[in-house]
Amino acid sequence: MDFLKQSGRILDESATKDKRERDSATVTNTRPADLSRIYSKDLLPASGGEEITREFLQELVNILLGFIHKSSQRSSKVLDFHHPHQLKDGLDGFNLELPDQPETLEQILVDCRDTLKYGVRTGHPRFFNQLSSGLDVIGIAGEWLTSTANTNMFTYEVSPVFVLMEEILLKKMQSIVGWSDEEGDGIFSPGGTISNLYSIQVARYDFYPEVKTKGMGVLPQLVLFTSEHSHYSVKKSAAVLGMGSENVVVVKCDERGKMIPAELESSIVTAKEKGLVPFYVNATAGTTVYGAFDPLGAIADICHRHQLWMHVDAAWGGGLLMSGRHRMKLQGIDRASSVTWNPHKMMCVPLQCSAILVKKRGLLQECNQLGAEYLFQKDKPYDVSYDTGDKSIQCGRHVDVFKLWLMWKAKGSEGFGFQVNKCLENAEYLFDQLQKRTDFELVFRNKPEHSNVCFWYIPPSLRGLPPGPDRDAKLHLVAPQIKGRMMEKGSVLIGYQPLGAKVNFFRCVFSNPATQHRDIDFLLDEIARLGHDL
């Protein structure tokens, strides 16, 4: 109890001292500094730079707060679009060219305002363009603190708190996946593509550890399998790792976009008959376009029979594990050898925040460690197992964990589950509205599994045409023209793409819990307004 009294006294004295310093600053700084005559050299750590630094950062915070406020206002634009040549030529004094001489702090603040002005408000409730959207204030606070700390994730000695936070987050996520306390490893990486690359890299090392030192030349011809609706990063990773994109076998999907297990097994058998060596299967939990979930249990059975590494790319769908209502869509994920999960998507964590989870503990370290002596000395005065940097293919690694940790503290697991439920409820609402309207057509009639909803807008000029190549050719042009008008107007933003034999269609995705039903109604009405005369 004496310790508590002493701690309270210290805190009181510290608070009194801080107040005196603030009062003193207020008295001495009666007139704001003229930032048009002040430069970055005058900021901290320059002698006497405290007040100028405080004033500059306060102005910057005001700019950021204004942007955050506008991002939540439906009366504000999602974007103020300009073509590349317009931005490069300069607009209203906004100059992208780099000077030889320093510019004033006033100009730096103008540049900050203009950068936000001409960018895209991805936190706007009517931004539906990407899988990552939203603007979480706690997440922003976490990112600000991370940048202020400005440290590196390779050793405990320079990043003690963040390294422990990463360990705790990874254990929590592994537990949610369904792995036991004795299983599981992982690392946060620069996005889902790199997480998927790690999965192929460690799988190959697990089967053929000699590849680390001797290279691909001593290995048989390896093949891996992924669905035709999977993310392109699987092929890209195979190319980067020296296996070649042609050694990625693309497995057929059903009409909903799910991998067909019988087609997978047939592809594996065929590869073996050709003398190739299968080693890895990528199953997708939440495909990029349709939001489909591959049948993980059936795929796990096949991988077990053929002794293959099963990876689940849950970059987009992993967030559904936080929802008691929707987590059953990932049933069987606990049987995976590795999992990609991007909290910067469905969990609305600021970019970037991606984790690669590996069931076999120690494999990441064995696969990637080189033991650089200037970083990873074995005789440090602490437990060097917390020097996690040698698990990574990087040296320097950005702190991506704090914002997620802080948001988890602020929301709890239940809060994330509520967010996910709300986003999927929005998808169901859009699906229901599209079914009621005659000027839109759904790409498929099934109720959405995820928050992806795919549809065509049918302008009056095409509504009387029979299905066929002529109608498809004209319909293919509709979405790009509407998107162009949409960007010029700036009122809403949504993506489009073709897929297989299907001509260009809109894909709406929901990951921003700020979006409401009225925003969805506005989206449909705006598409109809912009495309009515096509």
Side-chain angles (χ1 to χ4, degrees):
M1 296 302 293
D2 290 341
F3 171 75
L4 292 176
K5 291 178 181 178
Q6 183 181 9
S7 298
R9 188 175 69 253
I10 291 171
L11 288 171
D12 289 342
E13 291 173 356
S14 176
T16 302
K17 180 182 178 183
D18 288 346
K19 184 177 186 303
R20 284 200 303 267
E21 289 176 351
R22 288 195 301 271
D23 291 345
S24 174
T26 301
V27 171
T28 57
N29 189 28
T30 55
R31 191 170 56 187
D34 182 0
L35 297 181
S36 67
R37 297 170 179 240
I38 300 174
Y39 295 84
S40 64
K41 66 181 177 61
D42 301 311
L43 299 170
L44 286 174
S47 176
E50 293 88 349
E51 287 307 314
I52 294 171
T53 300
R54 180 180 288 109
E55 186 169 334
F56 172 74
L57 289 178
Q58 186 59 59
E59 288 296 320
L60 180 62
V61 167
N62 291 339
I63 291 170
L64 297 175
L65 287 174
F67 180 80
I68 292 168
H69 176 71
K70 277 192 171 182
S71 293
S72 66
Q73 299 299 303
R74 288 165 176 83
S75 57
S76 67
K77 286 186 172 185
V78 177
L79 76 161
D80 182 7
F81 177 75
H82 291 81
H83 290 280
H85 73 272
Q86 293 174 306
L87 287 174
K88 289 173 76 173
D89 291 344
L91 290 166
D92 299 326
F94 184 43
N95 186 1
L96 295 174
E97 295 301 317
L98 299 173
D100 291 327
Q101 300 300 318
E103 295 184 344
T104 66
L105 295 183
E106 181 178 72
Q107 181 59 48
I108 297 304
L109 291 171
V110 169
D111 289 341
C112 289
R113 288 190 192 94
D114 287 344
T115 297
L116 293 174
K117 176 183 177 182
Y118 297 120
V120 179
R121 293 190 174 96
T122 60
H124 196 288
R126 292 174 180 171
F127 176 83
F128 306 103
N129 207 70
Q130 313 300 148
L131 303 184
S132 51
S133 65
L135 198 60
D136 189 276
V137 173
I138 299 296
I140 293 170
E143 194 66 80
W144 288 356
L145 187 145
T146 296
S147 294
T148 303
N150 191 33
T151 192
N152 207 312
M153 286 293 287
F154 42 45
T155 62
Y156 180 84
E157 66 184 280
V158 298
S159 198
V161 180
F162 296 138
V163 164
L164 295 180
M165 286 177 176
E166 181 173 55
E167 179 189 53
I168 288 166
L169 282 167
L170 290 168
K171 284 183 177 178
K172 184 72 170 180
M173 295 168 79
Q174 290 155 12
S175 172
I176 291 169
V177 165
W179 295 344
S180 70
D181 292 341
E182 290 71 40
E183 298 173 314
D185 201 349
I187 201 166
F188 279 76
S189 76
T193 291
I194 302 301
S195 291
N196 285 342
L197 185 145
Y198 271 118
S199 74
I200 300 173
Q201 184 207 26
V202 296
R204 182 181 63 179
Y205 177 84
D206 194 37
F207 287 109
Y208 301 99
E210 63 270 24
V211 72
K212 180 176 178 180
T213 53
K214 297 180 179 178
M216 286 293 295
V218 300
L219 271 58
Q221 189 169 350
L222 302 179
V223 288
L224 53 152
F225 304 82
T226 193
S227 87
E228 59 184 338
H229 283 240
S230 66
H231 194 261
Y232 70 89
S233 59
V234 177
K235 281 191 174 183
K236 181 171 282 193
S237 296
V240 169
L241 292 169
M243 288 178 280
S245 59
E246 290 184 0
N247 289 310
V248 178
V249 178
V250 176
V251 181
K252 291 180 182 177
C253 294
D254 62 20
E255 70 284 350
R256 185 60 186 81
K258 298 169 179 287
M259 183 191 288
I260 302 170
E263 292 287 343
L264 171 62
E265 185 132 42
S266 174
S267 297
I268 293 168
V269 171
T270 299
K272 288 180 176 180
E273 290 172 348
K274 291 179 179 178
L276 306 175
V277 179
F279 78 105
Y280 171 103
V281 174
N282 173 65
T284 307
T287 57
T288 307
V289 179
Y290 280 2
F293 290 81
D294 288 342
L296 303 183
I299 293 171
D301 290 340
I302 293 169
C303 289
H304 179 72
R305 275 198 300 276
H306 293 274
Q307 297 183 322
L308 306 180
W309 182 285
M310 176 182 167
H311 174 67
V312 176
D313 178 4
W316 176 223
L320 272 66
L321 291 168
M322 305 302 296
S323 165
R325 189 184 307 169
H326 296 287
R327 65 169 290 120
M328 77 286 189
K329 295 173 183 176
L330 293 91
Q331 189 171 357
I333 194 172
D334 57 302
R335 300 174 64 188
S337 303
S338 57
V339 174
T340 291
W341 182 351
N342 286 9
H344 69 232
K345 291 180 177 169
M346 278 306 291
M347 295 170 72
C348 210
V349 178
L351 286 160
Q352 59 194 10
C353 190
S354 174
I356 173 65
L357 311 177
V358 180
K359 182 178 280 188
K360 188 174 180 180
R361 191 168 292 175
L363 191 60
L364 268 170
Q365 183 85 7
E366 293 171 20
C367 180
N368 290 311
Q369 70 177 351
L370 287 175
E373 292 182 348
Y374 76 97
L375 279 177
F376 305 115
Q377 305 93 339
K378 300 300 182 185
D379 52 359
K380 292 181 180 181
Y382 58 84
D383 182 353
V384 294
S385 68
Y386 287 98
D387 286 354
T388 56
D390 233 6
K391 290 182 184 181
S392 170
I393 58 176
Q394 303 167 248
C395 176
R397 190 161 61 94
H398 185 261
V399 177
D400 292 329
V401 297
F402 180 68
K403 54 198 170 188
L404 174 57
W405 180 87
L406 201 65
M407 286 176 64
W408 214 312
K409 295 279 280 190
K411 298 173 188 291
S413 301
E414 289 183 356
F416 281 125
F418 175 80
Q419 280 186 195
V420 169
N421 291 343
K422 185 175 182 184
C423 289
L424 269 72
E425 286 166 7
N426 279 337
E428 291 182 19
Y429 177 80
L430 173 56
F431 177 78
D432 291 341
Q433 297 307 113
L434 288 167
Q435 286 187 307
K436 296 174 184 176
R437 296 185 61 147
T438 58
D439 49 349
F440 289 89
E441 286 183 13
L442 287 156
V443 171
F444 45 82
R445 299 256 168 217
N446 310 69
K447 182 179 174 182
E449 278 193 297
H450 203 334
S451 74
N452 308 48
V453 183
C454 301
F455 58 91
W456 290 283
Y457 169 69
I458 313 297
S461 65
L462 299 184
R463 289 174 200 166
L465 291 180
D470 182 52
R471 182 180 186 270
D472 285 349
K474 292 176 178 177
L475 183 58
H476 187 66
L477 304 175
V478 171
Q481 291 183 73
I482 292 175
K483 178 67 176 280
R485 295 176 178 184
M486 188 180 286
M487 293 178 71
E488 291 288 346
K489 188 174 180 182
S491 55
V492 67
L493 206 60
I494 184 175
Y496 73 89
Q497 67 284 301
L499 187 64
K502 292 181 171 62
V503 299
N504 280 324
F505 56 87
F506 290 111
R507 178 203 64 167
C508 188
V509 286
F510 298 95
S511 58
N512 184 356
T515 298
Q516 298 177 9
H517 288 179
R518 59 178 167 146
D519 302 307
I520 299 167
D521 295 336
F522 178 85
L523 168 69
L524 296 182
D525 292 341
E526 187 75 338
I527 289 174
R529 277 191 293 270
L530 294 171
H532 188 266
D533 64 336
L534 295 177

